[in-house]
Amino acid sequence: MNQGPTDLRDFIGEVESGGLLEQVPQPVSPDLEVARILAAKDGTPVLFRSVEGHPGYRVVGGIGSDRRYYALALGVSPDRLLFRLREALASPVPPPVDSGAPWMEVEEPAVDLLRVPFLRHWPGDGGYYATASVVFLHVPGNGYENVSFHRLLRLDSTHLVARLVEGRGAHTAWTRSKGDVPVAIAIGLPPHILLAASMSPPEGVFEMHLAQAMAPTPLVDAPLTGLLVPAAAEIVLEGRMTHNMAPEGPFVDLTGTMDIVRQQPVVEIDRIYHRRDPIYQALLPGMREHRLLMGMPREPTICDEVSKECRCLNVHVTPGGASWLHAVVQIEKRSPDDGIAAGIAAFRGHQSLKHVVVVDNDVDIFSPEDVEWAVATRFQADRDLRVMSDMPSSSLDPSAHHRPGVRSTGAKMILDATVPWDTPTGPAHPEAFRRVIGTSSRTSLLF
Ligand SMILES: Cc1cc2nc3c(=O)[nH]c(=O)nc-3n(C[C@H](O)[C@H](O)[C@H](O)COP(=O)(O)O)c2cc1C
């Protein structure tokens, strides 16, 4: 197992010693200013030493805004991250349970969420949100804890409203429970725990076992709810997800477009704990960190499905497709139909995927220019294109067909940009497709 940074401040220390941390010493406003600076520095971790109206708190953002930072946290090269996630999914490891944690140092005498530096991120947003908030709860009937990100809109000093995407773990727990659902909310976590919380393992697998497979992730029992929560957290809120509803949104979401206002469950907070000098974690919606945390965990599931058809070498869920709708799949082609078969399998690995480009091993899948080169030189639309209509689609794609209460639908497309095989054993003129100059340009930043 990797023995790299195990909590957020260890990780901040590592990026700082690598000369990668920006610091903002002067006080900044939680109302758009922190977010504006994070947007301007997207791709760089930024530590804000002082936030107006929130004495004692520092704020950090952007710690997962480039593949390089996850690579640093997991001790692998950026283009091998998929394989670390795949290993964790294949071999989860139960973490140790400690008797105490640094976040228990301070229990606020009275719950006052207004003291915690929730942020207003974009001008059209419905209010002050926590976005790096990881929610722990039990799914009744399943006997295991579910862990997932939920944006939380602050209503007042003790209430939040949580966005629950229908059909996911927390939504299932809430719909199955007649009464309140006890929750623990962790804020301020290192990259490997953020990644584990973004993954959707098979039912019965606790996401923290994936985290432990990537780096040490000791857990502790939260005092009020008894939920197991990472000892590494900076701030922990305990409370109840109620069946009272309140408007949530509008909110700038993953695609950079405005998500609508919905009636969503109110969370009542009963306890606030934090480290003595807490670091609040910011995560800028719609920007790189949000996109990477959405897209990267789909790469191993796509690779698994493609591997059932042919040899999958790598997968990149690309930022231009909001890190959710587009992927490049790299294969070792061994038969004429491998390209299209790999594309179809990719849709099984990630149902929200809309467009897939399949390439050979001489293409840098992290370079949009390289991928376009493969399309330009190896693809013919009347031979290598597959369009499929009326398929399951993402609720996040504004151009899809959306109906209330029903899974969205839309078209999917595969571009097979592998070298065409015009004989059963390979291309008749392989020389025509071989790169003479510019082989694997490696100009990508690996975002
Ligand atoms: C940064 C980030 C923010 C997210 N926000 C939400 C959210 O507000 N509501 C939601 O239901 N899912 C949200 N998600 C998605 C879930 O956390 C994610 O799909 C998770 O893997 C679901 O796991 P589950 O299917 O096991 O519940 C978010 C994901 C990320 C990475």
Side-chain angles (χ1 to χ4, degrees):
M1 193 201 309
N2 166 48
Q3 295 294 327
T6 55
D7 72 11
L8 180 61
R9 42 190 85 193
D10 271 359
F11 183 72
I12 293 171
E14 284 220 4
V15 282
E16 185 177 11
S17 55
L20 299 165
L21 183 72
E22 286 268 347
Q23 303 216 34
V24 178
Q26 70 278 15
V28 285
S29 167
D31 185 10
L32 300 177
E33 192 180 8
V34 168
R36 202 163 34 232
I37 295 169
L38 287 174
K41 308 264 179 206
D42 199 20
T44 306
V46 185
L47 182 67
F48 300 89
R49 297 207 155 271
S50 165
V51 188
E52 287 165 10
H54 300 281
Y57 278 92
R58 287 174 289 166
V59 171
V60 76
I63 65 138
S65 58
D66 193 285
R67 273 173 208 264
R68 279 180 302 166
Y69 308 132
Y70 299 97
L72 186 68
L74 300 190
V76 290
S77 67
D79 58 349
R80 304 306 293 168
L81 279 164
L82 176 165
F83 299 95
R84 286 294 282 118
L85 299 185
R86 216 172 164 205
E87 273 167 36
L89 277 164
S91 311
V93 181
V97 178
D98 288 355
S99 54
W103 58 260
M104 292 174 175
E105 283 165 354
V106 179
E107 180 185 340
E108 290 284 338
V111 171
D112 184 2
L113 291 167
L114 301 174
R115 292 168 67 96
V116 184
F118 283 48
L119 302 174
R120 202 156 77 90
H121 300 94
W122 300 103
D125 281 356
Y128 287 82
Y129 272 93
T131 50
S133 31
V134 176
V135 177
F136 293 71
L137 47 75
H138 276 293
V139 182
N142 283 359
Y144 68 96
E145 263 181 53
N146 183 78
V147 185
S148 52
F149 277 86
H150 290 277
R151 67 191 191 225
L152 301 167
L153 172 62
R154 188 174 60 199
L155 297 180
D156 57 37
S157 59
T158 52
H159 295 95
L160 306 165
V161 54
R163 167 68 180 132
L164 302 189
V165 175
E166 294 73 12
R168 295 225 175 112
H171 183 259
T172 308
W174 179 74
T175 48
R176 278 187 199 167
S177 306
K178 291 217 166 34
D180 294 349
V181 180
V183 292
I185 300 162
I187 301 174
L189 296 165
H192 75 282
I193 300 183
L194 300 179
L195 266 176
S198 313
M199 291 161 84
S200 298
E203 273 213 6
V205 177
F206 182 21
E207 285 87 344
M208 292 306 99
H209 293 199
L210 307 182
Q212 175 74 15
M214 294 190 271
T217 312
L219 303 175
V220 283
D221 285 313
L224 183 64
T225 57
L227 287 157
L228 285 167
V229 177
E234 291 282 328
I235 302 162
V236 173
L237 315 177
E238 282 192 284
R240 290 157 290 116
M241 193 176 281
T242 72
H243 285 268
N244 300 329
M245 306 296 271
E248 187 279 323
F251 181 83
V252 174
D253 211 343
L254 183 68
T255 45
T257 53
M258 197 55 99
D259 200 4
I260 57 171
V261 179
R262 300 177 184 85
Q263 289 294 318
Q264 292 286 287
V266 171
V267 179
E268 193 164 336
I269 298 301
D270 299 312
R271 302 234 182 125
I272 299 181
Y273 311 87
H274 54 76
R275 290 183 70 147
R276 219 164 267 126
D277 50 347
I279 304 178
Y280 175 88
Q281 190 166 9
L283 193 154
L284 195 55
M287 301 298 275
R288 285 172 171 229
E289 187 169 12
H290 188 187
R291 286 189 263 153
L292 279 169
L293 283 170
M294 290 290 289
M296 266 199 304
R298 305 298 144 196
E299 291 167 357
T301 63
I302 294 172
C303 188
D304 276 349
E305 287 299 325
V306 173
S307 299
K308 293 176 185 166
E309 303 295 331
C310 56
R311 180 144 186 256
C312 179
L313 300 174
N314 214 337
V315 176
H316 184 204
V317 175
T318 57
S323 293
W324 196 240
L325 302 174
H326 289 178
V328 182
V329 172
Q330 188 181 53
I331 62 167
E332 190 178 291
K333 185 165 171 167
R334 291 205 178 137
S335 87
D337 303 327
D338 279 352
I340 295 293
I344 293 170
F347 295 136
R348 286 200 303 273
H350 174 34
Q351 281 216 333
S352 297
L353 205 60
K354 181 176 172 185
H355 299 148
V356 184
V357 183
V358 186
V359 298
D360 295 295
N361 67 356
D362 59 343
V363 175
D364 178 359
I365 62 169
F366 295 98
S367 160
E369 213 174 294
D370 233 38
V371 173
E372 189 180 347
W373 174 87
V375 173
T377 60
R378 297 177 175 178
F379 168 84
Q380 286 296 314
D382 57 359
R383 182 191 61 201
D384 303 316
L385 177 72
R386 175 74 64 89
V387 176
M388 295 180 268
S389 306
D390 202 26
M391 298 286 286
S393 139
S394 172
S395 60
L396 293 170
D397 173 6
S399 71
H401 185 41
H402 304 291
R403 287 152 298 166
V406 182
R407 169 114 210 192
S408 305
T409 54
K412 296 195 186 292
M413 177 172 77
I414 301 165
L415 283 80
D416 177 5
T418 55
V419 169
W421 281 27
D422 45 7
T423 74
T425 51
H429 304 286
E431 278 309 312
F433 298 99
R434 187 159 300 143
R435 288 180 123 170
V436 182
I437 55 164
T439 309
S440 213
S441 59
R442 290 275 161 211
T443 51
S444 63
L445 295 171
L446 281 168
F447 158 39

